[in-house]
Amino acid sequence: MDKESFDPLVNNSIDNTPEAQELRTSILELVGRYFDSVNRGRRFEAGKTYLPAAQKVLDASDIQYLVSASLDSWLTTGRFNDEFERCLAETVGAKHARTVNSGSSANLLAVSCLTSPALMDQRLRKGDEVITVAAGFPTTVNPIVQNGLVPAFVDVELPSYNIDTRALEEAITERTRAVMVAHTLGNPFDITQVKRICKRHCLWLIEDCCDALGSCFQGQPVGSCGDIGTFSFYPAHHITMGEGGAVSTSNDQLAILLESFRDWGRDCRCPPGRENVCGNRFGHRFANLPDGYDHKYVYSHLGYNLKITDMQAAIGLSQIGKLPGFVKRRRENFSRMWDALSDLEGDLILPLATPDSEPSWFGFPITIEDERGNGAKRHALIEHLGRKRVGTRLLFAGNMIKQPCMEGVEHRVHGNLVNTDRIMNDTFWIGVHPGLSDEMVDYMAQALKEFFR
Ligand SMILES: Cc1ncc(COP(=O)(O)O)c(C=O)c1O
């Protein structure tokens, strides 16, 4: 479907009478009025209004798209999803984008597809190692374990919060087959170094971009730099669909494998609701199946069903049009916060963008200078901010290895995880999302400074 022919607010194939078209238009107009009416006039009151670390930013058009998709009554993945996948691929500069029902599913899909026998001797096999970091979100690591692979953890650097690329290269053994790391809180890792290492050692690279949609490295959007990129559209993220995620790749073979694993593991590539698109539905032969077995029910992988509904895709489609403005605002809020806190250097470690990168910041990470290293000062600061109605988040799992879920799980640690442990004890982050005005950012910075006075 080309861009010109897609109209989110009309469905030419079902609004086939003037009455249907008129009704859809009236419904959507009412939806817009309703949204604006219930969201009007929320004023910021310092110390009273809660300022969350992450928050969705919706407008009337998002809900109009949602309702328009529901009026289509198609429900499963459909025209909105096709258009969203096209827009996302264009946005991240990848040849293909495929939606899934969460960022965690995107990570699961990315790792699972690399186990496909179709990749021959390049496939990941049980016991192979995947290098990653422990300072991050659990579902960057879990799919490695779930696929019978072994996570090998290396330390991160401060103040970028990203993988230490020297440790990465040192950690490689003959069992290492892939690298899977996130661009932490939107700050791209050193893609030049990581790609050089992956190329030299023939390793797959999965970029977890769940917190980094819109970030660039040397002008190139993240998600198009490695073999596969993954994204989350949970409400806290750069754009939302409620629940949702996506994978991106410019590798045609991986795109087919991703789709197969996402769609029950099936061999057939017909879109939902259509069959025999290839014209050869009953003409295939597979070793242990009867000749001509219905291709719609042939499974080449142990897959899942991770698809989204068209209602989710519709909100995503409305949101992605606003991404440039969202990213701009995130960058402005980040700079404003950084300038306001710069005189606290000594008490705090302020975040720094990786050289050559333009982060689309997910949050503003702060590490407290506290020689006790037991998290007590961070705890006191977070409580202080809570009393001031400023929301905070930890850097997710802190040190994943210390999480209860890792008990008994085979893994390897290369060297030490000194910075990872420091992050577990002394790091937290606050918001820079587009829902924050200058006044709110100034108030948050002021609240932080009060603690150190
Ligand atoms: C780096 C990273 N990867 C993966 C995910 C998982 O995304 P989702 O919550 O959509 O499953 C998150 C969630 O915030 C994340 O921060």
Side-chain angles (χ1 to χ4, degrees):
M1 194 179 296
D2 64 12
K3 205 170 184 194
E4 285 67 45
S5 68
F6 184 84
D7 185 340
L9 306 181
V10 176
N11 186 340
N12 291 326
S13 61
I14 66 165
D15 296 340
N16 49 10
T17 62
E19 189 194 7
Q21 281 172 15
E22 203 183 301
L23 282 170
R24 189 185 283 252
T25 306
S26 314
I27 290 166
L28 298 180
E29 196 194 307
L30 272 176
V31 166
R33 274 176 48 202
Y34 173 81
F35 183 94
D36 289 338
S37 139
V38 297
N39 289 289
R40 195 178 298 138
R42 293 210 183 126
R43 231 172 30 86
F44 169 61
E45 285 184 72
K48 288 199 176 149
T49 308
Y50 180 60
L51 300 174
Q55 184 189 307
K56 62 185 183 290
V57 176
L58 295 177
D59 65 17
S61 113
D62 299 321
I63 309 304
Q64 285 170 322
Y65 273 53
L66 166 68
V67 172
S68 189
S70 68
L71 291 176
D72 282 5
S73 313
W74 180 253
L75 305 184
T76 183
T77 289
R79 67 184 185 115
F80 283 89
N81 187 67
D82 291 345
E83 184 64 4
F84 178 79
E85 287 182 343
R86 195 192 63 71
C87 288
L88 182 66
E90 192 178 291
T91 300
V92 305
K95 206 164 158 191
H96 311 278
R98 295 287 177 270
T99 51
V100 287
N101 55 11
S102 72
S104 303
S105 297
N107 283 343
L108 178 62
L109 200 57
V111 179
S112 299
C113 96
L114 295 180
T115 66
S116 170
L119 295 172
M120 321 263 265
D121 58 353
Q122 285 182 298
R123 74 185 280 203
L124 302 181
R125 291 171 189 274
K126 297 233 178 300
D128 285 347
E129 280 190 359
V130 180
I131 297 182
T132 187
V133 301
F137 201 78
T139 58
T140 313
V141 175
N142 299 353
I144 300 171
V145 177
Q146 278 151 349
N147 274 287
L149 307 162
V150 179
F153 294 101
V154 300
D155 208 5
V156 293
E157 291 180 323
L158 287 170
S160 75
Y161 299 88
N162 276 318
I163 189 163
D164 175 339
T165 52
R166 251 179 313 160
L168 164 60
E169 187 145 34
E170 285 165 11
I172 293 169
T173 69
E174 69 285 349
R175 289 174 71 194
T176 309
R177 302 299 313 282
V179 174
M180 179 167 184
V181 266
H183 301 291
T184 307
L185 295 180
N187 193 17
F189 54 75
D190 184 341
I191 291 174
T192 304
Q193 286 303 326
V194 173
K195 277 186 81 169
R196 185 186 57 75
I197 294 165
C198 287
K199 193 160 178 222
R200 182 186 296 168
H201 299 274
C202 296
L203 308 177
W204 294 107
L205 173 58
I206 301 174
E207 294 173 80
D208 180 335
C209 311
C210 285
D211 299 337
L213 180 62
S215 296
C216 292
F217 185 83
Q218 292 178 343
Q220 186 176 348
V222 300
S224 61
C225 304
D227 296 292
I228 304 176
T230 63
F231 299 88
S232 167
F233 308 125
Y234 189 73
H237 291 253
H238 293 67
I239 61 169
T240 188
M241 359 173 124
E243 299 286 353
V247 286
S248 59
T249 185
S250 293
N251 177 320
D252 296 339
Q253 185 182 19
L254 292 185
I256 291 171
L257 297 176
L258 287 164
E259 218 172 88
S260 170
F261 274 92
R262 180 191 65 176
D263 303 355
W264 305 279
R266 67 186 185 158
D267 206 68
C268 163
R269 300 191 61 211
C270 284
R274 297 187 59 198
E275 43 199 39
N276 204 20
V277 170
C278 68
N280 192 29
R281 181 173 167 188
F282 299 103
H284 293 267
R285 300 180 78 173
F286 292 89
N288 299 316
L289 292 172
D291 273 3
Y293 195 79
D294 188 348
H295 195 215
K296 200 172 163 62
Y297 294 102
V298 174
Y299 302 94
S300 38
H301 299 107
L302 297 168
Y304 320 98
N305 176 2
L306 304 177
K307 296 193 304 301
I308 60 170
T309 68
D310 228 26
M311 283 76 77
Q312 287 166 286
I315 305 187
L317 185 59
S318 172
Q319 287 258 305
I320 203 167
K322 291 175 279 191
L323 182 66
F326 287 165
V327 172
K328 181 167 174 284
R329 189 64 205 165
R330 283 179 178 275
R331 289 181 180 147
E332 285 166 0
N333 285 345
F334 182 91
S335 300
R336 194 173 182 93
M337 185 70 78
W338 208 100
D339 291 346
L341 298 182
S342 56
D343 54 345
L344 285 183
E345 273 194 299
D347 293 310
L348 306 174
I349 299 176
L350 296 179
L352 279 186
T354 298
D356 283 343
S357 77
E358 272 186 289
S360 163
W361 291 99
F362 185 51
F364 192 97
I366 292 171
T367 297
I368 301 169
E369 299 284 9
D370 182 4
E371 40 318 313
R372 289 169 297 173
N374 61 3
K377 198 164 176 186
R378 178 182 66 185
H379 184 73
L381 175 51
I382 282 178
E383 286 211 321
H384 163 80
L385 290 173
R387 284 191 293 275
K388 296 277 167 190
R389 308 289 293 143
V390 175
T392 55
R393 289 268 188 282
L394 300 188
L395 189 44
F396 311 124
N399 180 345
M400 181 64 181
I401 294 168
K402 310 235 166 136
Q403 291 286 342
C405 62
M406 284 299 285
E407 233 168 84
V409 171
E410 187 186 357
H411 66 274
R412 180 168 70 87
V413 175
H414 172 77
N416 63 50
L417 303 184
V418 173
N419 286 335
T420 303
D421 280 332
R422 188 155 184 212
I423 287 168
M424 177 178 68
N425 286 311
D426 296 330
T427 300
F428 69 101
W429 57 275
I430 52 178
V432 291
H433 57 80
L436 296 170
S437 63
D438 286 354
E439 191 188 4
M440 293 171 183
V441 172
D442 293 346
Y443 170 78
M444 289 160 71
Q446 209 45 48
L448 242 154
K449 287 171 131 178
E450 265 176 30
F451 179 81
F452 291 97
R453 263 189 221 127

